[in-house]
Amino acid sequence: MDAGEQRRRWEYWWISLLFYLLTCLGQRVSAQIRYSIPEEVKEGTIVGNIAKDLGLDVSTLLDRRFRIVSGSNDALFQVNQNNGMLYVGKLIDREALCDGNAACLISLKTVVENPLEIHYVEVEITDVNDHAPSFANKDVLLEIAESTIPGEDFQLQEAYDPDSGVNSVRFYKLSQTEYFEIELRENGGEKKVPVLKLRKSLDRERQVIHSLTVTAVDGGNPPRSGSTVINVTVLDDNDNRPKFSQELYSVSLRENAPLGTLVIKLNATDLDEGQNGEIVYSFVKNIEKYIYDTFDLDNTGEIRVKGSLDFEKSNVYRIAVMASDKGQPPKTSNCRIIIKVIDENDNAPEIEVTSLSDVVPEDSKPGAVISLVSITDKDSGVNGKVVCRISDDVPFELKPSFKDNMYSLVTNAKLDRELTSHYDVTITATDLGQPPLSSIKTLKVQISDVNDNAPEFVHNPLELYLMENNAPGASIYSVSAFDRDLNENAAITYQIIREEGTRSHMSSFLNVNADNGHIHALKSFDFESVKTFQFHIIATDSGSPSLSSNVTVNVFILDQNDNVPVILYPVSANGSAEGVEEIPRNVNAGHLVTKVRAYDADIGYNGWLLFSLQEVSEHSLFALDRYTGQIRTLRSFTETDEAQHKLVILVKDNGNVSLSATATVIVKVVEPKEAFAASDVKNAEKDEEENNVTFYLIITLGSVSVLFVISIIVLIVMQCSKSTDYSSKYLQDTNYDGTLCHSIQYRSGDKRYMLVGPRMSIGSTIAPGSNRNTLVIPDRRRRDSGEVRLD
């Protein structure tokens, strides 16, 4: 290893150490790290430890998805998520990547998640001397008149070296000759052009052709070189050459100028006459091809636009023009023209979006980062300044980064998937040129569901009217709830709430299908045992954590005609109701013989009892009241009337399928004296019989009263939980007029219904076509007391 290469390695080492110290002292979140690496290094060469320089924990890089998210140059470098090392991904050619640029910088964006961090890394590609200088033409013909005075110079073609800095062309050498020497001259830019200078007058008679070798040498270590051969032909006298008004012209031209636009008109003069003074113009032979494609030069010296001008490709053109006369030999002179291209706003901004996730949870907090937005504009100056905004009707905003034209798309309001399940976020980038140019990009953001809605019932409470004697196991009702969430968050299961209490035990006889809400009764209900009860169902979704809501179901048992009338008097014995009544023969018409008393446990039509004479020995003697069961005489007895009469009374209810019972009354007609004598004995027996009847009657009335009080309490509690605008659901009253009579009134929709006992109140009417034991009554209320009455 020679001393130069060792010194160069020490310089790279010190530069790397300096960048490392600067990185350690800078801010880790917002600072930009810079590395340097030579071109042409092998694939896999380590550039630097990004994780260490950024202060990241190496063990979390894989879980946090540490990666490079920059644009098209990603393949040049890769990052190892296991150790945080940045390494070369493929062979780097600096000249292909950054042709003509003094500094070759590659910008990389790195991202880590949970939490989100964005870091910027710049890698400088340093040049190595991997190219030798070269000339466009290996052989150049140069004609010089013999009368040329020493000191005249002739511009030569420049050597081209793709390398930069010290590795580019540093100087030129000329082969040994006594007539010429080579020197460098300023060209209005950073580079110097080689000039062939005449040292000694030429003598065509001594030597016609001079063959010169020009060698270009770069500043690399070791240096590289390239050469060209210049054949100088000595011509006869044409002692005046054309001269331009100035050696350097500068002109400005707007990009996208129309074809044929005049750039400049050159003017050169020649003091000679005739053909030696006629001037023709041409580009120098070693001019770049793209200048020929862009500009056209005619013989009058006018330069016009021939091709398209693009500021973004080239913002300045340096042209060398030669003026030549037609003398023999011709004389020439050169001038340099610098054409500066003025930028036009002809490039719209470009929007690049890097989405971190396609789906955003609806419970995301304001400030959550959704995407990274990068804006670029190829124009310069004001034309390249960009203003970025998004649509106003979305809960998102753009937050600028510390680096120009870098933004983060974040949430700025609470999201609700049930209101809006997705958003089309329109990003608009507008530059500040005149007129301004814009670009639009639409980003689709999908909102994912979280379990934030409990199941809901449309109505609460629910009312169930159930006919008694239902079939055990059959479905009696169905509840349904809905959930505004999706998928498992909206999958609802149903369950009956088992409570402890005096009335809640009825829920133990019910079962609900957890999947569809169908309710099944496990037993047959009896209206005479329970008329109303309630239970609660809870609907629970399958989210995590799950949400639930309750609904109350009020059950009203409807009566069926399932009870046979019970004869209270005459008292039943041995399965039959039979009684004996003795009346004097001298009674008048209308005399009360006796009264048949009966009771039906059903209500309404099912419990409304009617009495009829099924069998009677003498129709003209006795009459039976069909409603009260009273037996009275129709006329006075005569001598020819029998002394004993048998009456069979049929007691039946008014159910759809009537149920009935019979009682037999034996009426004995006696003489007044015998009736009076027997009355004492009979009264004693009757008193005992009446006492037994009274005892059973008290028990029956007590049972009915207890059921009535319980029903009233339940109804009061239910009514207190409802709006006072509605009338009571049930109104119960107990009447007794020869038979046990009671009624229950309830309301359904616009109508009121009354379930009537065995004896209806006077003035009530039976609605034709009504449902079995139901009476429809008008719904009239007194405004002063709120009393409900039957008209």
Side-chain angles (χ1 to χ4, degrees):
M1 180 185 299
D2 57 16
E5 185 175 358
Q6 185 176 4
R7 178 170 51 83
R8 186 179 178 186
R9 290 192 175 182
W10 275 104
E11 289 177 356
Y12 286 150
W13 184 86
W14 279 107
I15 291 174
S16 300
L17 178 61
L18 178 61
F19 277 113
Y20 174 76
L21 293 176
L22 290 175
T23 302
C24 293
L25 293 175
Q27 294 182 357
R28 293 186 175 181
V29 175
S30 61
Q32 181 166 290
I33 300 175
R34 187 168 178 174
Y35 297 103
S36 179
I37 188 171
E39 65 174 333
E40 306 292 343
V41 295
K42 295 181 180 179
E43 295 183 13
T45 301
I46 300 300
V47 179
N49 192 329
I50 295 183
K52 181 179 178 181
D53 295 340
L54 294 177
L56 301 176
D57 187 356
V58 176
S59 61
T60 63
L61 294 181
L62 190 60
D63 294 336
R64 296 182 66 185
R65 296 185 63 201
F66 183 44
R67 65 193 185 276
I68 297 175
V69 295
S70 55
S72 61
N73 292 326
D74 290 352
L76 294 177
F77 299 95
Q78 301 291 335
V79 65
N80 191 324
Q81 293 186 346
N82 294 321
N83 55 23
M85 290 291 185
L86 179 68
Y87 63 91
V88 177
K90 67 178 183 179
L91 191 66
I92 302 175
D93 186 356
R94 182 187 183 280
E95 286 69 32
L97 192 63
C98 304
D99 186 20
N101 293 333
C104 184
L105 299 177
I106 304 300
S107 297
L108 304 176
K109 294 182 290 185
T110 62
V111 171
V112 289
E113 299 180 357
N114 300 320
L116 177 66
E117 294 181 16
I118 304 171
H119 303 281
Y120 296 90
V121 178
E122 284 189 349
V123 181
E124 181 182 14
I125 310 301
T126 60
D127 184 54
V128 297
N129 192 23
D130 57 346
H131 295 85
S134 62
F135 290 88
N137 299 310
K138 296 298 182 181
D139 296 294
V140 177
L141 178 62
L142 183 62
E143 296 178 340
I144 302 176
E146 63 178 347
S147 60
T148 303
I149 300 172
E152 288 287 337
D153 53 45
F154 307 90
Q155 182 174 327
L156 302 178
Q157 61 175 327
E158 297 177 52
Y160 174 72
D161 192 339
D163 297 325
S164 65
V166 296
N167 295 324
S168 63
V169 176
R170 309 308 296 171
F171 61 93
Y172 294 84
K173 295 189 302 182
L174 184 65
S175 60
Q176 185 66 34
T177 178
E178 63 178 316
Y179 292 98
F180 298 95
E181 65 181 5
I182 194 167
E183 64 181 29
L184 297 178
R185 178 179 296 173
E186 297 289 340
N187 191 32
E190 296 180 357
K191 294 183 179 181
K192 294 182 179 181
V193 297
V195 175
L196 185 66
K197 191 172 185 180
L198 183 63
R199 296 174 57 189
K200 182 179 178 182
S201 297
L202 299 174
D203 188 356
R204 185 177 180 277
E205 285 69 19
R206 292 182 60 185
Q207 186 175 352
V208 177
I209 297 176
H210 297 266
S211 183
L212 308 174
T213 301
V214 177
T215 302
V217 183
D218 64 20
N221 187 8
R224 292 174 177 264
S225 63
S227 61
T228 183
V229 176
I230 300 177
N231 294 309
V232 179
T233 302
V234 181
L235 303 177
D236 281 338
D237 285 342
N238 178 20
D239 55 345
N240 287 291
R241 66 177 61 195
K243 289 187 178 181
F244 288 95
S245 58
Q246 58 190 69
E247 292 185 359
L248 180 64
Y249 296 90
S250 180
V251 64
S252 296
L253 185 64
R254 290 189 175 276
E255 71 170 323
N256 301 322
L259 299 180
T261 300
L262 177 64
V263 179
I264 190 172
K265 180 175 176 59
L266 301 175
N267 183 27
T269 59
D270 194 321
L271 298 178
D272 294 324
E273 294 181 353
Q275 289 187 344
N276 291 332
E278 293 182 13
I279 300 174
V280 292
Y281 300 89
S282 64
F283 293 122
V284 296
K285 294 182 180 179
N286 61 345
I287 197 170
E288 289 84 354
K289 182 179 183 299
Y290 71 92
I291 294 181
Y292 282 110
D293 296 336
T294 308
F295 300 101
D296 181 62
L297 174 62
D298 61 16
N299 288 330
T300 64
E302 290 184 349
I303 298 178
R304 296 183 179 273
V305 176
K306 177 182 178 181
S308 62
L309 292 174
D310 191 350
F311 176 87
E312 287 69 43
K313 291 183 179 180
S314 180
N315 59 358
V316 63
Y317 293 88
R318 290 179 173 86
I319 304 175
V321 175
M322 180 176 65
S324 176
D325 58 26
K326 296 182 179 180
Q328 291 297 327
K331 288 192 174 183
T332 63
S333 63
N334 298 337
C335 74
R336 299 183 303 277
I337 304 170
I338 298 177
I339 301 175
K340 297 179 181 179
V341 181
I342 301 175
D343 183 38
E344 293 281 351
N345 190 27
D346 59 343
N347 290 281
E350 297 179 2
I351 304 174
E352 178 187 355
V353 178
T354 303
S355 295
L356 303 180
S357 177
D358 295 334
V359 180
V360 181
E362 64 175 317
D363 60 350
S364 297
K365 295 181 180 179
V369 178
I370 307 303
S371 300
L372 304 177
V373 180
S374 176
I375 311 296
T376 57
D377 195 315
K378 294 180 180 179
D379 294 320
S380 62
V382 177
N383 296 329
K385 295 293 183 181
V386 180
V387 176
C388 191
R389 60 183 177 85
I390 63 173
S391 46
D392 299 330
D393 55 346
V394 294
F396 304 100
E397 64 177 345
L398 285 176
K399 283 194 173 180
S401 176
F402 73 94
K403 194 170 184 179
D404 290 342
N405 295 334
M406 289 293 299
Y407 303 89
S408 297
L409 180 65
V410 301
T411 58
N412 66 349
K414 186 177 180 181
L415 305 177
D416 190 349
R417 187 208 62 80
E418 287 70 39
L419 294 178
T420 306
S421 61
H422 75 280
Y423 293 92
D424 292 330
V425 182
T426 301
I427 303 174
T428 304
T430 306
D431 61 29
L432 301 181
Q434 292 298 329
L437 300 178
S438 299
S439 294
I440 296 176
K441 192 162 190 176
T442 300
L443 177 64
K444 294 186 179 296
V445 180
Q446 192 73 26
I447 308 301
S448 63
D449 184 54
V450 297
N451 192 27
D452 57 349
N453 290 278
E456 299 179 22
F457 292 92
V458 177
H459 301 289
N460 191 3
L462 302 174
E463 294 182 353
L464 168 61
Y465 294 90
L466 178 62
M467 194 69 67
E468 68 171 332
N469 301 321
N470 55 290
S475 175
I476 61 172
Y477 199 55
S478 178
V479 295
S480 178
F482 68 94
D483 196 313
R484 292 185 290 175
D485 294 321
L486 290 178
N487 302 327
E488 67 275 1
N489 294 332
I492 300 176
T493 58
Y494 302 89
Q495 183 181 1
I496 295 178
I497 301 176
R498 309 295 183 182
E499 300 177 349
E500 295 182 359
T502 57
R503 301 186 62 84
S504 63
H505 70 280
M506 298 302 296
S507 62
S508 61
F509 299 105
L510 301 173
N511 189 23
V512 63
N513 188 311
D515 297 327
N516 55 30
H518 292 174
I519 302 173
H520 301 268
L522 304 180
K523 63 167 287 185
S524 179
F525 293 101
D526 185 8
F527 175 83
E528 287 70 37
S529 298
V530 59
K531 294 178 174 56
T532 180
F533 65 90
Q534 69 175 203
F535 62 93
H536 306 281
I537 292 180
I538 182 172
T540 307
D541 60 31
S542 300
S544 180
S546 60
L547 301 176
S548 62
S549 61
N550 301 344
V551 67
T552 300
V553 182
N554 294 318
V555 182
F556 301 95
I557 307 301
L558 301 180
D559 183 46
Q560 278 190 333
N561 191 26
D562 57 347
N563 288 280
V564 178
V566 177
I567 305 297
L568 299 179
Y569 182 81
V571 179
S572 299
N574 297 326
S576 63
E578 184 174 340
V580 178
E581 296 290 338
E582 292 183 352
I583 60 174
R585 184 179 290 275
N586 60 351
V587 295
N588 297 322
H591 175 75
L592 177 63
V593 178
T594 187
K595 182 177 182 179
V596 178
R597 296 179 176 87
Y599 170 74
D600 195 318
D602 296 321
I603 65 170
Y605 285 152
N606 298 328
W608 180 23
L609 301 182
L610 296 177
F611 302 84
S612 63
L613 284 172
Q614 188 178 23
E615 181 182 341
V616 61
S617 57
E618 180 60 54
H619 289 281
S620 63
L621 276 176
F622 302 100
L624 175 66
D625 190 308
R626 64 176 304 185
Y627 299 114
T628 64
Q630 293 180 349
I631 302 174
R632 295 180 181 273
T633 57
L634 292 174
R635 60 179 175 82
S636 301
F637 290 96
T638 61
E639 295 295 333
T640 59
D641 291 329
E642 296 291 335
Q644 181 173 315
H645 299 272
K646 180 180 179 181
L647 285 75
V648 178
I649 294 90
L650 176 67
V651 182
K652 68 175 182 179
D653 56 32
N654 277 269
N656 194 23
V657 177
S658 298
L659 301 178
S660 62
T662 59
T664 302
V665 177
I666 305 298
V667 180
K668 293 184 178 181
V669 181
V670 297
E671 295 299 326
K673 291 182 179 181
E674 294 178 0
F676 179 77
S679 63
D680 294 336
V681 178
K682 187 174 181 179
N683 286 337
E685 296 176 352
K686 193 169 185 178
D687 288 341
E688 183 178 358
E689 180 181 344
E690 289 292 337
N691 289 337
N692 293 333
V693 172
T694 302
F695 175 74
Y696 292 127
L697 184 60
I698 290 173
I699 291 176
T700 303
L701 290 174
S703 300
V704 172
S705 299
V706 169
L707 291 175
F708 170 74
V709 171
I710 292 174
S711 300
I712 290 298
I713 293 174
V714 172
L715 291 174
I716 291 175
V717 172
M718 292 173 60
Q719 290 299 322
C720 288
S721 63
K722 295 184 177 182
S723 173
T724 57
D725 294 338
Y726 298 95
S727 61
S728 299
K729 198 71 179 181
Y730 285 93
L731 298 174
Q732 282 194 344
D733 61 76
T734 304
N735 299 321
Y736 182 70
D737 184 13
T739 64
L740 297 182
C741 179
H742 59 277
S743 66
I744 296 179
Q745 301 179 32
Y746 68 92
R747 182 181 183 89
S748 177
D750 298 337
K751 299 180 179 180
R752 288 194 305 144
Y753 299 89
M754 181 178 71
L755 306 179
V756 187
R759 179 66 184 272
M760 292 173 50
S761 301
I762 299 175
S764 300
T765 59
I766 302 175
S770 59
N771 296 329
R772 296 184 180 179
N773 55 354
T774 306
L775 296 179
V776 181
I777 62 176
D779 185 11
R780 300 180 181 176
R781 306 169 189 171
R782 295 181 181 177
R783 294 185 178 180
D784 54 347
S785 63
E787 179 183 355
V788 179
R789 64 178 183 176
L790 300 179
D791 294 333

